[in-house]
Amino acid sequence: MTHLQEALRIFEDLLVAEQPANAGEADAAIWAYLTPFEGLGSQAEALGQMERAVAELDAGSAFMPILLNTLERHRARLSEPSA
């Protein structure tokens, strides 16, 4: 199972959970997926692949807006200029 598949499995579990989930698990899965990619450009490309895969998941879940917001925060982080 690839890191992307593992992350998507976690996201799917969060999307179908009956109890409200927090973004912590999703954030950890995103970090675990992005960490092996070196450089902001590679991570941004990998995040794009993840975002496209997430678009295929259950959009009707109450957790989806939280997941999308978490992905957006990572997108913003990757697009910030280096200090």
Side-chain angles (χ1 to χ4, degrees), residues 13-50:
D13 290 347
L14 292 169
L15 289 166
V16 299
E18 292 189 19
Q19 296 189 19
N22 70 38
E25 286 182 72
D27 192 53
I30 294 167
W31 275 112
Y33 170 65
L34 294 178
T35 298
F37 295 93
E38 292 188 32
L40 294 178
S42 294
Q43 287 189 354
E45 186 176 316
L47 184 62
Q49 182 180 7
M50 177 178 270

Side-chain angles (χ1 to χ4, degrees), residues 4-72:
L4 179 58
Q5 290 170 327
E6 290 175 26
L8 292 174
R9 184 194 52 76
I10 291 168
F11 298 160
E12 287 171 338
D13 290 347
L14 292 169
L15 289 166
V16 299
E18 292 189 19
Q19 296 189 19
N22 70 38
E25 286 182 72
D27 192 53
I30 294 167
W31 275 112
Y33 170 65
L34 294 178
T35 298
F37 295 93
E38 292 188 32
L40 294 178
S42 294
Q43 287 189 354
E45 186 176 316
L47 184 62
Q49 182 180 7
M50 177 178 270
E51 289 167 331
R52 289 186 294 279
V54 165
E56 301 294 320
L57 300 178
D58 179 10
S61 169
F63 184 70
M64 184 56 90
I66 297 168
L67 176 55
L68 293 175
N69 181 273
T70 304
L71 288 166
E72 180 56 36

